[in-house]
Amino acid sequence: MTSPASGSSAPPSDKLDAGVLKIASVVVLGAIMSILDVTVVSVALPTFMSEFQATYATVAWTMTAYTLALASVIPLTGWAADRFGTKRLYLLALVLFVAGSVLCSMAWDVQSLIAFRVVQGFGGGMLMPLGMTIMTRAAGPHRVGRVMAVLGIPMLLGPIGGPILGGWLIEAATWHWIFLINLPIGIVALIVAVAVLPKDAPSKSESFDFVGMLLLSPGLALFLFGVSSLPETGTVASPRVLVSGIIGLVLVAAFVVHALRAKHPLIDLYLFRNRQLTYAVLTMTVFAVAFFGAGLLFPSYFLQVRGETTLAAGLLLAPQGLGAMLTMPIAGRFVDRIGPGKIVLVGLTLIIAGMGVFTQVDVETAYPLLLGALFVMGMGMGCTMMPTMTAALQTLTDQSIARGSTLMNIVQQAAGSIGTATMSVILTSRVISPEGSPEGTSGQPDSDALAQLPPEMQQSVLGSLADAFGDTFLVATLIMVVALIPAALLPRTRTTRSTEESGAAAVMH
C-alpha cells in the first residue's frame, strides 16, 4: 500500500527526463499532423470551391466530415487502448491517418475528398487522446502540467503553421500537397514510434461495450451532423437538422442510461464523481464552443472582408500561435505548482480582451490592432486549454487516465463542432448580400460577383459583411465570459491524486 504523501518534501522530479521527451517527440509529431490538417484545410476551402465547381456549403463538409469521424472514433479509443495497448493502437492510428492523407491528395471530386477525409479522421481522432494517455502514464501525475505544455506544442503550431503552410502550398504548388505533406511526417513518426514507445501491457479483463458503441458513436455523429448542417439549411426546422439532431440526442441519452448500469461502459460516467474533472469538463465545453467557433472566422474575415491571399491570411494569423508559444510553457510549469484555477482564469480574461477587439471590426480596422488582439488571445489560449486538460487528468488513477483523456477529447471535439456550426449560422444570418440575394453560398457574397459591382457598392457589401463578423465575434465573446463561471471552481492550489474524490482510486489496489 503506497502512501500518497510519501516523500512529501518535494515531487520525485519536476523535470521531464530524456525517456519521457523521446516519447513526447512521437506524440507531438502525430498530434501536429492531426491538428495541422484542420487549419490547413480551413484556408483551402475557396480553392476547393473553384477546383471542384462546388458551393461553400458543400466544400465545408471537407472539414465537417473530418470532425464527425474524429468524434465517432474517440469513444472507442479508451477501451481499445486498455484492450490492445496504446503503442499498437497509436501505430494503427498513424497508418490510417497517413493512408487517408494520400487518398485525399488523389481525390477526383468533392464527394471523394469528403469520403477520404472520413478515413483520415478515423486515424486523427485516435492520435490526440492516445498521445495524452501515453504521455501522462510515462510522466506520472506530478508532472501532468508539464506534459500538457508539451502536448500543447501542436496547438501552437496549428494556428501558426497550418494557415501559412496551406496558403504557401496552394500558391506555390497545388492543393494536393496540403495532404501529401503528411506522408513524410507520418513515415518519420511511424519509425520513431516503433523504436521509442514503451511495449504494450494490454489488459484483457474488460469486455467490450458493444451496446455503448452502437449508442454513443452514431449518436455523436448524427447530432453533430445535424448541427453541422445548420449553415447550409439556415434553419433548425429543417428535417436534416431536426431529425438527425433529435435521433442523435436520443441515442446519447440512451447511452448515458446504459453507461450508468453497465459494468464496463465505453465511457465511465462515474468519473464525474470527481468534482475537479466535472468543473474542467464544463470549462472546456464552454471554452471550446466560443474559441473554436471564433477560430473559423479569423481566416474568413481576412480572406473575404480584407481581400487577402491565402498565404497572407495565414501569416496574419501567426500572432495567435506566437502568443500561445510564449505562455504555454510557463502555464504548464505553474499548474504543477499552484494548481490550474488561477491560470485558467487569467487565460480566459486575456481571450475575452483580445476577442473583444474583433467585435468592433470594419473594412479598415488597423492591422496592428488586430494582430495585437490575436497575440493577446494566443497568450490566453496558452493559459487555458492545456491547464484545463491538466485539471481533468491530474487526479485520476493510471487505470482512469485513458478513459479521462478520451472523455476530454470527446468534449473538446463535440463542443468545437457545435461552436463552428453556431458561429457559421450567426454569421450567415447577419450577412446582407447584393440585391438581397447572395451570390455565394451560406449567404456570403461571391468574390467574382462582388468584383463586378461599382466601387461604392463593393464598400457597402464589404461593410455589411464586416458588421456581420463583428456581431458574430460578440456572441463568441459573451460565451467566453460564461466560461469564467466553471473556471472559478477549479482548484487554486496544487492538486495530487490523494485528493481524488471520484472513488475510482479505491477500485484498484
Side-chain angles (χ1 to χ4, degrees):
M1 188 165 186
T2 59
S3 169
S6 60
S8 59
S9 58
S13 171
D14 263 355
K15 294 185 177 179
L16 299 179
D17 53 69
V20 175
L21 290 174
K22 285 180 183 176
I23 294 171
S25 67
V26 180
V27 171
V28 167
L29 269 177
I32 282 173
M33 287 194 302
S34 176
I35 294 167
L36 271 181
D37 239 59
V38 176
T39 51
V40 163
V41 172
S42 68
V43 297
L45 295 184
T47 303
F48 293 153
M49 288 172 66
S50 59
E51 182 74 22
F52 297 122
Q53 297 300 299
T55 63
Y56 181 89
T58 301
V59 299
W61 281 99
T62 59
M63 292 186 68
T64 306
Y66 183 80
T67 306
L68 289 176
L70 237 68
S72 299
V73 78
I74 286 173
L76 307 178
T77 307
W79 170 82
D82 290 340
R83 176 67 177 79
F84 301 109
T86 50
K87 181 174 183 176
R88 293 175 203 166
L89 199 60
Y90 197 80
L91 293 174
L92 173 64
L94 282 172
V95 170
L96 266 177
F97 185 84
V98 173
S101 298
V102 173
L103 287 171
C104 285
S105 72
M106 299 164 62
W108 53 89
D109 57 25
V110 72
Q111 287 77 20
S112 61
L113 178 58
I114 291 168
F116 294 146
R117 285 283 282 168
V118 171
V119 176
Q120 201 185 27
F122 284 143
M126 291 189 281
L127 288 174
M128 201 62 183
L130 279 173
M132 280 188 187
T133 302
I134 292 167
M135 283 287 289
T136 308
R137 285 176 176 171
H142 61 285
R143 296 185 292 187
V144 169
R146 299 239 176 158
V147 164
M148 290 301 149
V150 171
L151 285 176
I153 291 171
M155 302 292 179
L156 311 177
L157 296 180
I160 299 175
I164 296 172
L165 181 65
W168 177 73
L169 286 171
I170 289 168
E171 291 186 15
T174 66
W175 66 267
H176 305 83
W177 282 95
I178 68 175
F179 299 111
L180 282 174
I181 195 72
N182 290 324
L183 184 58
I185 301 174
I187 291 171
V188 171
L190 273 169
I191 294 170
V192 179
V194 170
V196 168
L197 292 185
K199 286 186 177 181
D200 286 323
S203 163
K204 299 187 179 182
S205 59
E206 292 189 8
S207 57
F208 181 55
D209 182 15
F210 280 105
V211 174
M213 182 195 73
L214 293 173
L215 290 172
L216 184 58
S217 288
L220 277 173
L222 280 169
F223 173 69
L224 293 178
F225 174 79
V227 171
S228 301
S229 298
L230 269 170
E232 196 172 352
T233 62
T235 173
V236 178
S238 164
R240 183 165 146 192
V241 175
L242 205 57
V243 175
S244 300
I246 289 174
I247 293 174
L249 283 175
V250 168
L251 288 173
V252 171
F255 169 78
V256 171
V257 174
H258 162 78
L260 292 173
R261 297 175 179 175
K263 189 173 181 182
H264 298 298
L266 196 63
I267 299 295
D268 184 5
L269 297 182
Y270 285 105
L271 287 172
F272 283 107
R273 287 177 174 173
N274 183 323
R275 284 188 295 174
Q276 182 167 325
L277 180 137
T278 302
Y279 298 146
V281 166
L282 290 171
T283 304
M284 178 60 72
T285 300
V286 183
F287 162 79
V289 167
F291 190 83
F292 293 111
L296 185 70
L297 303 178
F298 295 125
S300 296
Y301 168 77
F302 288 123
L303 288 166
Q304 295 179 345
V305 177
R306 307 304 288 265
E308 300 292 349
T309 64
T310 51
L311 177 57
L315 288 168
L316 288 166
L317 295 174
Q320 189 172 32
L322 294 172
M325 186 178 291
L326 177 67
T327 58
M328 194 172 284
I330 299 169
R333 189 172 293 114
F334 277 96
V335 162
D336 288 335
R337 294 179 183 175
I338 64 172
K342 296 173 185 174
I343 295 167
V344 173
L345 285 172
V346 169
L348 289 172
T349 303
L350 288 171
I351 294 172
I352 291 165
M355 202 178 285
V357 171
F358 277 85
T359 65
Q360 306 300 312
V361 288
D362 57 33
V363 182
E364 297 178 347
T365 305
Y367 274 170
L369 178 62
L370 297 180
L371 299 185
L374 284 169
F375 183 75
V376 170
M377 282 186 65
M379 291 174 64
M381 194 272 263
C383 294
T384 302
M385 191 161 180
M386 286 307 172
T388 304
M389 289 280 193
T390 301
L393 299 181
Q394 68 184 172
T395 61
L396 299 182
T397 63
D398 286 342
Q399 293 80 14
S400 302
I401 284 172
R403 303 301 176 89
S405 61
T406 299
L407 175 64
M408 288 301 289
N409 276 274
I410 290 173
V411 167
Q412 181 187 323
Q413 290 298 332
S417 298
I418 292 168
T420 53
T422 301
M423 298 308 159
S424 295
V425 170
I426 295 169
L427 177 65
T428 53
S429 69
R430 289 287 297 114
V431 172
I432 304 169
S433 55
E435 317 297 23
S437 59
E439 293 287 342
T441 56
S442 295
Q444 298 185 32
D446 180 80
S447 57
D448 293 332
L450 194 61
Q452 305 300 319
L453 297 173
E456 61 275 10
M457 188 66 173
Q458 287 184 31
Q459 286 299 107
S460 174
V461 172
L462 289 176
S464 68
L465 185 58
D467 290 342
F469 273 100
D471 292 345
T472 311
F473 282 122
L474 176 60
V475 173
T477 305
L478 294 174
I479 294 172
M480 195 66 75
V481 170
V482 175
L484 291 168
I485 299 170
L489 300 172
L490 292 174
R492 302 186 194 184
T493 56
R494 182 188 178 112
T495 307
T496 64
R497 285 192 290 185
S498 61
T499 65
E500 182 179 12
E501 297 168 313
S502 67
V507 175
M508 296 288 180
H509 305 297

